[in-house]
Amino acid sequence: MKLFDTIPTERPATPLLDTLDTPAALRAMTADQLKRVADELRAYLLYSVGVSGGHFGAGLGVVELTVALHHAFRTPHDRLVWDVGHQAYPHKILTGRREAMTGIRRYGGLAAFPRRAESEYDTFGVGHSSTSISAALGMALAARTQGQDRRVCAVIGDGALTAGMAFEALAHAGHVDANLLVVLNDNEMSISENVGGVASYLARILVSKPYLSMRENGKKVLSHLPGALELARRTEEHVKGMVSPATLFEEMGFNYVGPIDGHDLDALSAALTSMRDLEGPQFLHVKTRKGRGFLPAESDPIGYHAITKLETPDAAKAREAEVATPPAPPKKKYCSVFGDWICDMAAADERLIGITPAMREGSDLIRFSKEYADRYYDVAIAEQHSVTLAAGMACEGMKPVVAIYSTFLQRGYDQLIHDVAVQDLDVTFAIDRAGLVGEDGPTHHGALDLSYLRCVPGMVVLAPADEAECRAMLSAAYHHPGPAAVRYPRGTGPGVAIPDHLEPLPIGVAEPRRQGQGVVLMAFGSLNGPAAEVAERLDASHINMRSVKPLDRDAVLEAARAHELVVTLEENVVAGGAGSGINELLLAEGVSVSVLNLGLPDVFAEHGKPAELLRDCGLDAEGIEAAIRQRLG
């Protein structure tokens, strides 16, 4: 295998890979040819991600595994279900999308994750983790019911086995009659340490045809001797348990094999070919290295989880030719505003506890995790647990802060209602990635949180217009003696100076920003920027609403009575969102005024840059102005 220390800036020669329009050709290749394909695939993956940017390390780690899977299984007839779509770039390259990879995650290009509408080889759409075993089990049971000769394989990894849903599926799968193979891609970001050469040797034996034949024939013979079959089963189980982490999965009803070297293509092909035809639930444990083949990524798998696209030589020359201008002061990311705030608040209040479901880097809890290690809990990919863990801490007088993405909180919604809100517990939710997040697409857009939070009794929901408001709202939510959420977007704010103090904003108090006539724009959070532009163009009034729940009742009613048209603006679906709250208030108070609710439409937005998506949704300044002018006639 060729090792790389830099990302190729020119397309590498991939003569054998270029002949593969579908993975069917892999099944006729020799072992040496498969290894050549793997080498070419890794080189092309490095090049294409360098051009497009995107998820990086996980894909490099499953190159050999992807080749072996498509070699062993009759895809797409056999179902291959990927977990954590970060792993699926090599799969996309091998399944007819090679030349489109340089446009992945771009507006109109390939999706960042497997997607059913994109290819028949993408059997299940993914984005969030830990869904593969449940989905694959459903496919296997459907095949059995339909009498189909079809094999189903779930590939779970990159930490996804830390989620409770994966274990729920394993517990079910081990006790039903389904031909399901679960492949654990253990890339050292997952469940176990390398257990050495003895286990690898055992794994080779366990998937060998002589062993499998002896095992099945032995069952038939021993079944006639009272107690002998059970003794043999327990003996086999204990031998496996001494040298591999087999016991857990065997007890759940799986035939466990592994761990084997996930970069040994010969061993992988042999194991997958043997296990493919076995009856009942099977579990193959594969050890891989995240970032395999690219030395910087191997040494820093977290830092190289994803990369931005490389600058082309022509672009670099053009940049150097430009007249040098003083760089603008860097704007702070909202997640960094949160990261600084939680450290400052922790210094002021020893009751503060920080909790995150595997998003330490994304939520910028790195400094907090080091400075307040005894008050920091990363619960892994277990969003439901993170919320109820916070509830338990709040019961004992602590002040938990849950740092979580908008779409990840969807997974803990029942816990938010049942365990936090019903008991009116003092839990603060710092909700990152609210609104349209960009290239990750519909599975990651925070388009629903205002709707699903606003309907929860007793919930406080705040939406900052800038970095300073974000810090002050976090303090306000923290000091509120019940459940409260601050939702903020991905990326940087408008560049407002951030104060050092921890003074909270008053909850439920809006900020009038411009007094105009005829039209009033009531904007929530990120859309205050375009609202200000439109208000100037139309000589309209502009109110930064700040609080989604509770609303500033007096400000809304006063503005509605003084204007002919009320326009609500939010980066959330219109259905049930902040604008709906204003509609409900006006109706309850008997205020008759024309209202225009602008927000995300009733469709799942595609992937692309946020500016492109906002334009398509009519939520840039031009789109907002056009909608208002159309309403005014």
Side-chain angles (χ1 to χ4, degrees):
M1 182 192 71
K2 182 180 179 181
L3 296 175
F4 294 84
D5 55 14
T6 59
I7 298 175
T9 56
E10 295 184 1
R11 191 193 191 288
T14 55
L16 193 54
L17 180 66
D18 292 347
T19 66
L20 298 175
D21 292 325
T22 70
L26 289 171
R27 298 190 273 277
M29 286 186 174
T30 65
D32 287 341
Q33 287 176 316
L34 291 175
K35 291 173 186 176
R36 281 179 52 199
V37 168
D39 286 343
E40 293 180 9
L41 177 56
R42 179 169 279 109
Y44 184 79
L45 178 63
L46 281 166
Y47 160 74
S48 64
V49 178
V51 172
S52 66
H55 298 108
F56 192 66
L60 290 171
V62 296
V63 166
E64 288 81 9
L65 177 59
T66 307
V67 171
L69 284 165
H70 281 293
H71 170 70
F73 286 89
R74 302 165 298 165
T75 56
H77 174 77
D78 290 338
R79 305 307 196 210
L80 183 57
V81 183
W82 291 94
D83 213 311
V84 187
H86 314 148
Q87 303 179 93
Y89 283 27
H91 162 80
K92 291 199 176 204
I93 293 171
L94 290 177
T95 53
R97 290 165 279 183
R98 180 179 61 251
E99 300 307 322
M101 287 297 293
T102 53
I104 195 170
R105 294 163 53 90
R106 294 182 187 173
Y107 184 73
L110 294 179
F113 307 109
R115 190 171 184 184
R116 284 171 55 84
E118 189 176 283
S119 170
E120 63 180 333
Y121 292 91
D122 292 358
T123 59
F124 195 75
V126 297
H128 298 174
S129 79
S130 314
T131 60
S132 63
I133 303 175
S134 297
L137 177 59
M139 295 175 185
L141 292 173
R144 187 193 69 184
T145 302
Q146 297 166 353
Q148 294 284 336
D149 178 21
R150 173 177 292 134
R151 297 289 162 159
V152 182
C153 175
V155 185
I156 188 166
D158 207 27
L161 203 60
T162 61
M165 182 176 176
F167 283 92
E168 292 174 15
L170 286 169
H172 184 206
H175 294 89
V176 295
D177 180 19
N179 294 326
L180 171 68
L181 170 61
V182 175
V183 176
L184 170 61
N185 168 30
D186 183 357
N187 63 3
E188 299 181 0
M189 308 297 288
S190 187
I191 67 165
S192 64
E193 297 295 328
N194 196 331
V195 293
V198 174
S200 297
Y201 175 69
L202 176 68
R204 288 178 182 270
I205 294 175
L206 294 177
V207 298
S208 66
K209 289 184 177 180
Y211 169 79
L212 293 172
S213 176
M214 180 180 67
R215 183 175 185 266
E216 295 305 312
N217 291 332
K219 281 183 180 180
K220 295 176 182 178
V221 173
L222 295 175
S223 64
H224 300 292
L225 301 177
L229 183 60
E230 177 63 16
L231 176 63
R233 186 191 68 79
R234 289 185 176 275
T235 301
E236 179 188 40
E237 178 182 295
H238 287 303
V239 169
K240 287 181 177 180
M242 285 189 294
V243 291
S244 72
T247 306
L248 170 64
F249 302 109
E250 293 277 7
E251 289 294 335
M252 297 181 84
F254 281 80
N255 173 43
Y256 172 94
V257 172
I260 66 173
D261 182 354
H263 304 295
D264 184 338
L265 195 48
D266 291 335
L268 278 174
S269 295
L272 289 168
T273 300
S274 296
M275 298 186 76
R276 176 196 63 201
D277 297 324
L278 296 178
E279 298 296 312
Q282 309 294 320
F283 194 100
L284 176 62
H285 185 171
V286 174
K287 296 284 291 185
T288 64
R289 187 171 180 84
K290 196 167 184 176
R292 174 74 169 179
F294 183 61
L295 299 178
E298 288 192 26
S299 60
D300 183 13
I302 295 176
Y304 280 90
H305 174 72
I307 63 171
T308 57
K309 66 179 181 179
L310 301 180
E311 187 176 49
T312 64
D314 290 342
K317 291 178 182 178
R319 177 174 51 78
E320 293 170 0
E322 292 177 355
V323 177
T325 56
K331 297 178 181 179
K332 200 152 197 170
K333 292 183 177 180
Y334 279 102
C335 63
S336 299
V337 175
F338 167 74
D340 290 342
W341 171 84
I342 195 171
C343 289
D344 294 343
M345 188 59 80
D349 188 348
E350 63 183 12
R351 297 173 299 165
L352 186 149
I353 300 289
I355 301 171
T356 184
M359 285 293 113
R360 186 184 75 147
E361 287 76 23
S363 295
D364 201 5
L365 284 166
I366 298 173
R367 181 161 72 93
F368 180 83
S369 69
K370 295 175 181 177
E371 295 181 7
Y372 299 95
D374 59 333
R375 290 195 267 162
Y376 167 73
Y377 296 93
D378 184 340
V379 303
I381 303 174
E383 297 89 352
Q384 295 167 308
H385 169 58
S386 71
V387 177
T388 304
L389 177 70
M393 290 180 172
C395 286
E396 300 302 320
M398 303 305 289
K399 296 273 289 180
V401 177
V402 180
I404 192 167
Y405 290 6
S406 170
T407 53
F408 295 174
L409 184 56
Q410 292 167 188
R411 301 182 126 194
Y413 188 53
D414 178 64
Q415 287 68 30
L416 182 146
I417 297 171
H418 184 273
D419 300 336
V420 176
V422 168
Q423 305 184 91
D424 195 30
L425 292 175
D426 188 359
V427 178
T428 299
F429 294 92
I431 303 177
D432 196 355
R433 271 46 170 195
L436 297 172
V437 299
E439 291 85 350
D440 283 344
T443 58
H444 283 62
H445 293 318
L448 308 174
D449 54 78
L450 293 186
S451 300
Y452 71 66
L453 290 172
R454 198 179 68 80
C455 65
V456 178
M459 193 81 197
V460 166
V461 186
L462 307 175
D466 55 51
E467 304 92 325
E469 283 194 354
C470 185
R471 182 177 173 92
M473 286 181 180
L474 287 164
S475 294
Y478 183 78
H479 290 302
H480 176 72
V486 180
R487 61 100 73 170
Y488 45 88
R490 182 182 186 180
T492 59
V496 172
I498 306 169
D500 294 330
H501 61 72
L502 291 167
E503 292 298 316
L505 276 178
I507 292 173
V509 178
E511 177 201 23
R513 288 194 168 184
R514 188 184 192 280
Q515 183 61 47
Q517 54 186 353
V519 177
V520 57
L521 282 73
M522 298 181 181
F524 295 85
S526 58
L527 291 190
N528 273 282
E533 293 183 44
V534 175
E536 286 293 333
R537 297 176 190 176
L538 299 179
D539 190 22
S541 297
H542 170 206
I543 302 175
N544 170 20
M545 292 303 299
R546 287 181 170 168
S547 182
V548 177
K549 186 180 182 181
L551 287 168
D552 187 334
R553 178 179 179 277
D554 293 339
V556 171
L557 295 178
E558 181 181 340
R561 289 170 176 141
H563 295 82
E564 299 173 5
L565 174 64
V566 172
V567 181
T568 66
L569 298 169
E570 60 191 302
E571 200 171 333
N572 184 84
V573 292
V574 172
S580 293
I582 289 179
N583 297 348
E584 293 159 11
L585 174 58
L586 295 175
L587 185 63
E589 293 295 326
V591 177
S592 180
V593 63
S594 181
V595 179
L596 174 61
N597 298 131
L598 296 180
L600 300 177
D602 191 26
V603 295
F604 288 106
E606 294 296 327
H607 56 279
K609 294 185 182 301
E612 296 171 328
L613 301 177
L614 285 169
R615 179 198 65 209
D616 279 3
C617 294
L619 293 179
D620 59 354
E622 287 70 25
I624 294 168
E625 181 182 357
I628 294 172
R629 290 189 181 279
Q630 182 179 19
R631 172 59 65 88
L632 293 173

